[in-house]
Amino acid sequence: MPFLNDDYKIRTRTLYLYSQKIHVNPSQVKTSPLHLFPLFLPPKFLPNFASMAVAELSPAYTRTDFSNSRFSYVSSSIRLSYHRRLSYRQLPRTPTTAIRCSVTSDQIQAPVGIDTKPKPDCFGVFCLTYDLKAEDETKSWKKMINVAVSGAAGMISNHLLFKLASGEVFGPDQPIALKLLGSERSFGALEGVAMELEDSLYPLLREVSIGIDPYEVFEDAEWALLIGAKPRGPGMERAELLDINGQIFVEQGKALNAVASRNVKVMVVGNPCNTNALICMKNAPNIPAKNFHALTRLDENRAKCQLALKAGVFYDKVSNVTIWGNHSTTQVPDFLNAKIHGIPVPEVIRDRKWLEEDFTKMVQTRGGVLIKKWGRSSAASTAVSIVDAIRSLVTPTPEGDWFSTGVYTNGNPYGIAEDIVFSMPCRSKGDGDYELVTDVIFDDYLRNRIKKSEDELLAEKKCVAHLTGEGIAVCDLPEDTMLPGEV
């Protein structure tokens, strides 16, 4: 029997169907019950249609009429042929919260004989869950994964969430549930984000839930992308920022420890991300320390860009770039081990002064320069770097290459102080885990720069001792360094 596949849509046609699979023969049409949406058919399924065909639904779904056509089909030939689990639920906010639904569950009726489960506090197509028999489920799709995102109403998330929902991050056969954490102040914006996700009709997006309580939002999370944090304000000391944001990550770490998957992967983006990741990890003792990451991939991407520009090549020719250390202006973009066309960078770019001074400074301060030009901190490129960081963990690392991520230093082979989160070179088999790279070289310049970033992170660790359960905080930072996104 001929059929129309999941992604086959021809938007220039007048008769169209939002469905997962269509079976067509002279006597029946089998499709999903989502007749509220338009349906696309290719030309061979459109004989002699003079005008747009309209699906008219009676309250009991007893008949489907195609006007101005020669076709008429009775609902007895209509059944669910695809497993589509879509639910949008709002996690509890306060007892007095009023929920406004664009389409309520009593406005949506299912075909006779299909058991539907109404979802409370829902919007539109996320109102109902259709649970079908196992044989009706799509065999080629994987088990749905739960991805929690904090700061979900912010600019970075506004770029990231749609990449997650589209399949760009975890793959085109990976259904996903998004669990979005916001604040009381941002809750209206969070509802707007959820509505936009709904309107985007991503077939892989099965659930969207929103809330302001991390113990609710992080439940069963398999990935936690912790973006939300307070930006550094005018006149704010770095020590003060560490304390304010550190308290956020104490709470989120405890919530992850209590309700998330025991193998949840945690990506900390909110700054200062290295020490925030350490705080979060220390407050989640039941989750492996190896599962916590501080995002330094944007720094790596910036370093690759600058090396490519200097060498006059496209950036995909640049490999083996490492960002060592803290996500601050003490970070160390490593040109010694980096390669262009497989050749060590110092042999391609022979200007050592440029590499040690101009290149390093450009990478360290790129975020601040962008703010001066753009008037805001980087959001889209940060979202892209989060995607890159996740993809590096869920896809095998290309032979001979590696990537940068801030991870726990215990057991590292480089002599870096233990019990801090430090950006280092890693490889992955694509299973979400990683191993540290051992085939790297050091010279005195690189070691001295790494030591400076290490000293800064050790000082930050002392500054947040009260948040990691290690005693009284003593703040004696070597200098008030800036984050890459500060001016």
Side-chain angles (χ1 to χ4, degrees), residues 204-282:
L204 291 170
L205 181 58
R206 295 314 176 89
E207 294 183 7
V208 174
S209 55
I210 63 176
I212 61 175
D213 182 358
Y215 286 88
E216 295 271 4
V217 176
F218 292 167
E219 186 174 359
D220 298 324
E222 294 159 275
W223 286 83
L225 311 179
L226 307 184
I227 300 172
K230 182 180 177 64
R232 187 174 183 177
M236 183 185 293
E237 296 291 331
R238 187 173 178 85
E240 184 181 355
L241 182 68
L242 283 165
D243 181 63
I244 293 173
N245 280 339
Q247 294 179 48
I248 295 173
F249 289 90
V250 167
E251 181 185 26
Q252 293 184 359
K254 289 179 177 179
L256 288 167
N257 194 62
V259 301
S261 163
R262 295 302 81 187
N263 196 36
V264 62
K265 304 297 189 294
V266 184
M267 184 76 64
V268 177
V269 181
N271 283 318
C273 64
N274 292 63
T275 298
N276 285 342
L278 181 70
I279 293 168
C280 190
M281 183 196 75
K282 292 289 187 178

Side-chain angles (χ1 to χ4, degrees), residues 461-467 470-475:
K461 177 187 171 184
K462 293 178 181 178
C463 203
V464 298
H466 61 301
L467 302 177
E470 297 178 1
I472 300 174
V474 178
C475 280

Side-chain angles (χ1 to χ4, degrees), residues 28-42:
Q28 64 178 0
V29 172
K30 298 177 182 179
T31 182
S32 87
L34 302 180
H35 293 67
L36 298 177
F37 292 97
L39 276 191
F40 282 95
L41 294 178

Side-chain angles (χ1 to χ4, degrees), residues 4-5 7 139 156 202 234 238 281 402 430 437 462 475:
L4 178 62
N5 282 332
D7 298 324
K139 303 297 190 298
I156 295 172
Y202 289 114
R238 187 173 178 85
M281 183 196 75
W402 59 67
V437 174
K462 293 178 181 178
C475 280

Side-chain angles (χ1 to χ4, degrees), residues 412-456:
N412 78 87
Y414 315 117
I416 295 168
E418 297 201 338
D419 203 32
I420 55 177
V421 172
F422 201 88
S423 184
M424 298 180 285
C426 300
R427 291 191 178 106
S428 177
K429 296 178 182 178
D431 56 359
D433 202 354
Y434 65 90
E435 60 184 20
L436 294 175
V437 174
T438 57
D439 50 333
V440 293
I441 60 175
F442 298 88
D443 62 7
D444 289 343
Y445 169 83
L446 184 57
R447 286 198 178 278
N448 290 337
R449 298 302 298 264
I450 287 174
K451 183 65 167 60
K452 183 177 181 181
S453 199
E454 176 187 314
D455 289 344
E456 181 179 60

Side-chain angles (χ1 to χ4, degrees), residues 38-60:
L39 276 191
F40 282 95
L41 294 178
K44 65 180 179 180
F45 293 123
L46 291 172
N48 301 325
F49 275 76
S51 63
M52 177 180 289
V54 179
E56 180 180 315
L57 303 180
S58 68

